[in-house]
């Protein structure tokens, strides 16, 4: 028999070997290593990507706070006017809590209420009071808001220097939308701190006004998030100022900002001394940095800055520093200003969070490897005890293992993050794989020796009907898990199904060929 | 090396009624257990943290003895943990709070204050959990219906198909009843295992039906042939899953431990259901049902 004919006769085995070589390349060849830096490559000898469970990190899955009214009749009012009108009807809400969006080319649109205490009833009442007609009110926010929130969350995570973090939206089968945030190598509390605040920052003037013969202090908003031209990183600062964030104002807004500071008395002659913390009812005018409704810091204006505002010079070069009192607050303010405010906040109390330390990830990695190896050894033990002939049992174990190698190669190729559920899938694949190999072996060896190719082929085909049927039921049973977003089990289902497919199409037929070569006399 | 041979059972000594009696009694008992649980708690099986909401912390506690470590854990948290489990005889403990009243941020702060090293925190909110529960039930239902439809399409005869579907049903019901009796909670891992069982457990039934219906030869000969292969298959999987359940349990990897445990229950149930229930139904069909 010529070499070519041998290859042709055993093409299934050739295919298996080819797949194994390919998988090995994907697994180990540095060219396919996506981790660019050398240090990471050394820690991880394979190209496998590990999920948070095995490498450590934090995952947060939560819906966004908010209710939406659809089909609201805007008439000829602008979205900003609608937002103000609706917000005016809601106590404890400002226009940042109401988002109006016009449906392109129509007089209708959506109005979302994204305040913490948003309910369908509150939004409906406010729309009625403001005189807007609408079709329906539902829970949840619009897709546009969701996308903007994801973009802001991404830039917040980047601004905080958390590398490798990802943010995406996921949709459940019941049409609920969740935001999924994954940040490697970070504690739960750090990530929650960053994503849990909406991060609206505004700069207000705190000053005295006299109305109807009574004098009291009020906040006048001077600068909002959109007014900043540039925002620097947090600075430690020297003596005097202390930790701060350098900022500059858009030229178009500079005149207005300057005028407001002068009018409110903050830019008073000779600067202002702020004693907001100690004596809020008797202080000179102050600048307040307000983040999510809380006063982060209060400070006066130094004489030279106040002078340049008075002289109408500051607006030519509108920059100053935001004094924050502590470096941590300077960082938080800087991140919020640069990333922007979240259109809608995350409802952490309606979602899940999961955080694993790097050390625990290492333990899980080691432990699950041991569990996998023990499972393989057990299978091998039972198979050898059942078939005392090593030429039947040994290829069986090797074939089952090669299914796992092919799946690992595939996982490395598509960079699927390995988690405990995927490992469970691998162990399940070994289990089903050996089951089918047992069917093939028993069928082929039934009723006496296999001494001709014809006998072998016919028996193999009969065995294959059962294997195909069994594979189909496993795929049908696992597919709900692969499509339902049942948390961490998608990986388990996907890899079990893939394993069954690889088994039926590649490895199990190859085992048949190997068995034939070992059992038939030519 | 120990040899493992599948014994030949002399089915002619038993009537169909006798064969089917045992699995049917077990199935009835299992249904009663589940029904009882449903009547008393409103759920067929005690739902775990994934479905009720709650927080699970894994912390390393520096203490000279297990008892002292537990004492320190009790002192550390304001809320009372629902369970405290030591992992693999080391200093790591898995602490579960099954109510969402204890906010995960607070628990984290309390654990840090007590000087524990936090290895992992998982928290699920109550509303997310109840959604997951609905999805899980839907998933199991769809998977079972899909499997049943496929079995009918494969065999295209009523009685043998029903035999497979009834066996598979029993294979799922028995582990769920055992979960109730042994106090194992329903987790995502156990749901995955139940779905896995739907796929796994029909393999040996399909093998048996195929051997008896589609192959030549006498009924008992075909049954024995299918049984020799089927028992080998099931025992192999069962051994692997038992090892996984035990080792993962020692390491405190809940997901793998629960998948392993449920599959061990289900595969053991499958041995009984396939070779007592399915065989008796097939024999009735082959000798009496066809003749009608």
């Amino acid at each position: 028999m010529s070499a070519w004919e041998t290859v042709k006769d055993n093409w299934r085995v050739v295919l298996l070997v080819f797949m194994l070589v390919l998988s090995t390349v994907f697994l180990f060849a540095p060219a396919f290593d996506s981790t660019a830096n050398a240090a990471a490559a050394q820690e991880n000898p394979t190209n496998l990507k590990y999920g948070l469970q095995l490498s450590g990190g934090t995952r947060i899955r939560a819906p966004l706070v908010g209710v939406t009214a659809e089909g609201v009749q805007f008439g000829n009012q602008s979205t900003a006017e609608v937002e103000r009108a609706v917000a005016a009807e809601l106590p404890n809400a400002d226009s940042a809590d109401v988002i109006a969006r016009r449906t392109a080319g129509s007089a209708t649109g959506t109005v979302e209420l994204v305040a913490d205490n948003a309910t369908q009833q509150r939004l409906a009442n406010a729309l009625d009071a403001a005189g807007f007609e609408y079709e329906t009110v539902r829970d949840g926010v619009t897709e546009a808001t969701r996308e903007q929130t994801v973009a802001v969350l991404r830039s917040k995570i980047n601004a905080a220097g958390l590398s490798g973090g990802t943010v995406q939206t996921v949709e459940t089968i019941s049409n609920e939308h969740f935001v999924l945030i994954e940040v490697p190598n970070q504690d739960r509390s750090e990530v929650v701190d960053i994503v849990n605040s909406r991060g609206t920052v505004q700069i207000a003037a705190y000053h005295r006004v006299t109305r109807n013969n009574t004098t009291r202090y009020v906040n006048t908003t001077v600068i909002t998030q959109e007014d900043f031209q540039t925002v620097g990183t947090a600075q430690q600062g020297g003596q005097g100022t202390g930790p701060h964030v350098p900022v500059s104002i858009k030229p178009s807004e500079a005149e207005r900002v300057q005028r407001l500071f002068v009018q409110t008395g903050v830019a008073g002659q000779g600067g202002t001394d702020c004693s907001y913390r100690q004596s809020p009812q008797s202080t000179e005018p102050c600048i307040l940095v307000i983040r999510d409704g809380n006063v982060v810091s209060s400070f006066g204006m130094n004489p030279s800055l106040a002078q340049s505002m008075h002289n109408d010079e500051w607006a030519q070069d509108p920059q100053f520093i935001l004094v924050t009192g502590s470096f941590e607050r300077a960082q938080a303010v800087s991140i919020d200003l640069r990333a922007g405010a979240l259109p809608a906040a995350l409802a952490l109390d309606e979602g899940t969070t999961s955080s694993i330390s790097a050390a625990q990830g290492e333990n899980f990695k080691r432990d699950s490897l041991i569990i996998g190896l023990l499972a393989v050894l057990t299978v091998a033990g039972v198979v050898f005890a059942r078939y005392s002939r090593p030429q039947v049992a040994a290829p069986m174990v090797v074939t089952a293992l090669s299914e796992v190698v092919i799946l690992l190669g595939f996982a490395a190729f598509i960079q699927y993050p390995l988690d405990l559920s995927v490992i469970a899938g691998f162990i399940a694949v070994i289990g089903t794989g050996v089951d089918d190999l047992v069917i093939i072996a028993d069928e082929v060896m039934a009723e006496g020796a296999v001494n001709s190719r014809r006998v072998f082929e016919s028996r193999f085909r009969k065995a294959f009907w059962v294997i195909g049927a069994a594979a189909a039921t496993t795929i049908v049973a696992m597919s709900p898990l692969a499509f339902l977003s049942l948390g961490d089990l998608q990986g388990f289902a996907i890899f079990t199904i893939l394993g069954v497919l690889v088994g039926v199409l590649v490895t199990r037929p190859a085992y048949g060929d190997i068995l034939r070569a070992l059992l038939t006399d030519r | 090396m120990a040899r493992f041979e599948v014994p030949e059972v002399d089915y002619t000594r038993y009537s169909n009624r006798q064969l089917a009696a045992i699995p049917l009694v077990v199935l009835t008992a299992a249904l009663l257990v589940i029904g009882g649980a449903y009547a008393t708690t409103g759920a067929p099986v005690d739902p775990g943290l994934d479905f009720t909401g709650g927080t699970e912390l894994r912390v390393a506690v520096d203490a000279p003895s297990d008892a002292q470590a537990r004492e320190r854990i009790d002192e550390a948290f304001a809320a009372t943990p629902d369970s405290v489990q030591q992992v693999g005889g080391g200093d790591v403990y898995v602490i579960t709070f099954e109510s969402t009243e204890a906010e995960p941020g607070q628990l984290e702060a309390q654990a840090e204050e007590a000087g524990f090293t936090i290895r992992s925190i998982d928290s699920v909110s109550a509303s997310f959990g109840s959604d997951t529960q609905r999805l899980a039930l839907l998933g199991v239902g769809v998977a079972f219906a899909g499997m049943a439809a496929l079995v009918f399409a494969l065999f295209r005869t009523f009685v043998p198909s029903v035999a497979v579907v009834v066996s598979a049903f029993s294979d799922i019901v028995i582990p769920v009843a055992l979960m109730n009796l042994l106090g194992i909670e329903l987790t995502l891992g156990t749901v995955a295992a139940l779905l896995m069982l739907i796929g796994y457990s029909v393999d040996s039934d399909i093998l048996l039906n195929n051997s008896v219906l589609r192959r030549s030869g006498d009924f008992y000969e075909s049954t024995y042939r299918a049984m020799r292969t089927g028992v080998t298959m099931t025992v192999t999987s069962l051994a692997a899953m038992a090892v996984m359940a035990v080792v993962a349990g020692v390491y405190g990897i809940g997901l793998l431990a629960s998948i392993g445990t449920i599959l061990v229950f289900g595969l053991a149930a499958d041995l009984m259901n396939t070779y007592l229930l399915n065989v008796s139904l097939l024999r009735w069909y082959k000798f009496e049902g066809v003749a009608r």
Side-chain angles (χ1 to χ4, degrees), chain A residues 53 61 172-174 176 178 187-190 348-360 363-364 366-368 370-371 374-375 378-388 420-421 423-424 427-432 434-436 438-440 442-443 446-447 462-463 465-466 469-474 476-478 480-481 484-489 492 496, chain B residues 1-6 51 58 92 103-105 108 112 118-128 131-136 138-140 142-147 150-151 154-155 187-189 191-193 195-196 198-200 202-203 206-207 210 214-215 221 225 228-230 232-237 239-241 243-244 247-249 251-253 255-256 259:
Chain A
Q53 277 180 332
R61 184 169 24 208
T172 67
I173 195 145
S174 47
E176 279 179 281
F178 287 86
D187 286 354
R188 184 184 175 282
S189 54
E190 288 169 50
L348 283 190
D349 54 351
E350 290 172 38
T352 65
T353 61
S354 161
S355 176
I356 284 130
S357 72
Q360 185 60 48
N363 282 3
F364 275 154
R366 187 199 61 208
D367 297 347
S368 54
I370 294 174
I371 293 171
L374 284 175
T378 313
V379 166
V382 176
V383 166
F384 271 95
R386 171 73 178 76
Y387 304 95
S388 30
L420 288 175
S421 73
I423 306 244
I427 295 174
V429 164
I430 297 175
T432 47
V434 168
D435 276 7
D436 290 353
V438 167
I439 295 176
I440 295 176
D442 278 5
E443 188 72 39
E447 293 153 37
K462 282 174 187 162
W465 188 88
V466 179
T473 53
T474 304
V476 165
M478 295 312 285
L481 263 191
L484 294 179
S485 59
L486 259 185
D488 311 327
L489 292 179
F492 173 69
T496 307
Chain B
M1 197 181 211
R3 292 276 287 123
F4 156 46
E5 276 290 348
V6 179
F51 302 112
R58 186 182 289 258
V92 175
E103 208 261 318
E108 187 180 13
E112 269 170 4
I118 297 178
R119 308 296 292 266
S120 73
I121 306 176
D122 286 288
S123 115
V124 177
S125 72
S127 64
F128 191 86
D131 284 357
T132 311
Q133 190 165 5
R134 227 180 37 233
L135 273 182
L138 181 78
V140 173
V142 169
F144 193 86
M147 179 277 294
L150 190 64
V151 166
L154 284 172
F155 291 109
T187 59
L188 285 177
V191 170
L195 288 172
M196 193 74 214
I198 294 176
Y200 245 162
V202 294
D203 288 8
I206 290 177
L207 185 74
N210 176 60
R214 295 167 53 107
R215 307 288 298 276
E221 208 177 286
R225 193 174 51 210
R228 213 182 40 190
T229 309
T232 307
M233 276 161 53
T234 310
V235 167
T236 314
S237 309
M241 290 302 146
V243 167
M244 175 159 120
V247 184
Y251 285 136
I253 305 181
L255 180 76
L256 299 186
I259 291 181

Side-chain angles (χ1 to χ4, degrees), chain B residues 210-272:
Chain B
N210 176 60
S211 190
V212 171
L213 299 176
R214 295 167 53 107
R215 307 288 298 276
S216 56
D218 148 51
F219 174 83
Y220 294 102
E221 208 177 286
S222 303
T223 304
Y224 178 63
R225 193 174 51 210
M227 196 169 167
R228 213 182 40 190
T229 309
V231 171
T232 307
M233 276 161 53
T234 310
V235 167
T236 314
S237 309
L238 202 129
M241 290 302 146
V243 167
M244 175 159 120
V246 170
V247 184
V250 169
Y251 285 136
I253 305 181
L255 180 76
L256 299 186
S258 48
I259 291 181
T261 312
I262 298 305
L263 278 172
V264 167
F265 292 160
L267 291 172
D270 183 49
L271 280 178
M272 173 187 78

Side-chain angles (χ1 to χ4, degrees), chain A residues 20 61 70 98 100-102 111 132 156-157 163 179 190 218 253 329 348-349 401 408 422 444 466-467 518:
Chain A
L20 281 175
R61 184 169 24 208
E70 308 262 11
V98 179
R101 293 179 195 279
R102 188 180 286 273
V111 173
F132 291 106
K156 273 187 156 203
I157 284 171
S163 61
V179 174
E190 288 169 50
V218 294
E253 301 298 319
R329 279 190 294 218
L348 283 190
D349 54 351
L401 280 180
L408 281 172
V422 178
V444 165
V466 179
I467 292 170
L518 293 174

